[in-house]
């Protein structure tokens, strides 16, 4: 049981390049989310999903796309990278239910955009 | 949407003292309030949570209180130890909507 796995751990991009951050969970969790964490700040929600085939925008969705074709995977796509997207990205998953909702985070992806 | 404010942003205490971190939220539909601890360079990890039908919850040296009327909740750490030094985040969630809003974090330093 690996939990939430994010790849890559580190990435350097040039302005304008595109890439996909991968996130996979093996806990059969319905909910998955992507956050970005800038230095000295909290976690800001980019996109989230309440189940396969369902996604929605968080508070900072511009410049990012997501899809959820399976329960396990929730990739985050940067369409045209900008220096403002330099950040640490965390994926998280949680179970749905009356005593659930605890979020389990991946180890993070440190992204630098030059 | 939901707005969560967290105070203080930094907190320094002597080992053995107590630490209190407070959060307020705006959306009355929020019904789940977790607290996460993040050590430097690591992922956030849940330390305690409370649901809207409970006013207080305790787990050893850590406790959380919730005042739904005033829309605020607090984390209390007693008998602090140097290993408690970390960034602590509160969050508020409407479990029916499936998304969380986080506070900006409190950097706790416990001095030996």
């Amino acid at each position: 049981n690996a939990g939430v796995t994010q790849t890559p751990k580190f990435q350097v991009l040039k302005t304008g390049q595109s890439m996909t951050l991968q996130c996979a969970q093996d806990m059969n969790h319905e909910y998955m989310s992507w956050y970005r964490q800038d230095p000295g700040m909290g976690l800001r929600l980019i996109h989230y999903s309440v189940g396969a085939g369902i996604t929605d925008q968080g508070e900072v969705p511009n410049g990012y796309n997501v899809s959820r074709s399976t329960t396990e995977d929730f990739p985050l796509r940067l369409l045209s990278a900008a220096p403002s997207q330099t950040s640490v990205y965390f994926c998280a998953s949680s179970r749905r239910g009356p005593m659930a909702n605890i979020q389990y985070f991946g180890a993070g992806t440190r992204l630098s955009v030059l | 949407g939901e707005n969560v404010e967290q105070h203080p942003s930094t907190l320094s205490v002597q080992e053995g003292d107590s630490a209190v971190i407070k959060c307020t939220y705006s959306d009355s539909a929020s019904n789940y309030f977790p607290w996460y601890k993040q050590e430097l360079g690591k992922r956030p990890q849940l330390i305690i949570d409370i649901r809207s039908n409970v006013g207080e919850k305790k787990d050893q040296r850590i406790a959380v209180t919730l005042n739904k009327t005033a829309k605020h909740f607090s984390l209390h750490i007693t008998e602090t130890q140097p290993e408690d030094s970390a960034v602590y985040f509160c969050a508020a969630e409407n479990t029916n909507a499936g998304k969380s809003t986080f506070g900006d974090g409190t950097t706790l330093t416990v001095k030996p």
Side-chain angles (χ1 to χ4, degrees):
Chain A
N1 189 336
V4 180
T5 302
Q6 287 185 239
T7 56
K9 287 186 169 51
F10 303 93
Q11 183 70 49
V12 178
L13 292 177
K14 293 181 180 178
T15 297
Q17 287 185 314
S18 62
M19 79 160 294
T20 299
L21 279 63
Q22 302 291 345
C23 176
Q25 53 93 6
D26 61 359
M27 298 175 282
N28 203 31
H29 285 172
E30 296 90 347
Y31 292 172
M32 295 187 76
S33 299
W34 274 103
Y35 297 91
R36 60 177 288 173
Q37 185 175 32
D38 299 319
M41 296 186 66
L43 296 147
R44 291 187 291 169
L45 184 65
I46 304 171
H47 287 283
Y48 67 105
S49 169
V50 298
I54 305 169
T55 64
D56 207 344
Q57 296 181 350
E59 57 182 301
V60 288
N62 292 340
Y64 308 94
N65 274 355
V66 292
S67 60
R68 184 99 180 269
S69 56
T70 66
T71 299
E72 295 78 19
D73 299 301
F74 191 41
L76 178 73
R77 297 182 188 84
L78 278 69
L79 309 172
S80 177
S84 61
Q85 294 179 304
T86 294
S87 190
V88 179
Y89 291 84
F90 287 100
C91 176
S93 74
S94 61
R95 190 167 53 88
R96 184 174 184 174
M99 294 304 292
N101 310 110
I102 297 170
Q103 291 199 75
Y104 297 88
F105 286 83
T109 295
R110 295 181 181 275
L111 175 68
S112 292
V113 182
L114 306 178
Chain B
E2 175 66 277
N3 182 51
V4 176
E5 295 190 356
Q6 183 172 345
H7 299 281
S9 57
T10 60
L11 180 59
S12 181
V13 300
Q14 288 294 136
E15 183 176 0
D17 287 350
S18 295
V20 180
I21 303 170
K22 299 182 178 181
C23 289
T24 61
Y25 63 99
S26 61
D27 188 351
S28 57
S30 291
N31 57 358
Y32 175 63
F33 307 93
W35 286 88
Y36 291 87
K37 177 183 181 181
Q38 186 179 30
E39 296 176 345
L40 190 63
K42 300 290 181 64
R43 74 191 80 188
Q45 292 193 299
L46 182 81
I47 55 169
I48 196 167
D49 57 6
I50 193 166
R51 299 179 191 272
S52 58
N53 58 347
V54 176
E56 184 173 359
K57 183 177 179 181
K58 189 174 182 180
D59 182 3
Q60 299 183 347
R61 297 186 296 109
I62 296 172
V64 58
T65 58
L66 172 64
N67 183 327
K68 282 213 72 179
T69 303
K71 294 194 183 70
H72 66 73
F73 55 112
S74 300
L75 177 71
H76 304 252
I77 305 174
T78 59
E79 301 172 21
T80 54
Q81 302 167 2
E83 51 264 39
D84 293 331
S85 296
V87 180
Y88 292 81
F89 293 99
C90 65
E93 179 176 333
N94 175 352
T95 57
N96 293 319
K99 63 175 183 175
S100 290
T101 301
F102 282 76
D104 284 340
T106 297
T107 300
L108 174 64
T109 302
V110 181
K111 294 181 283 187

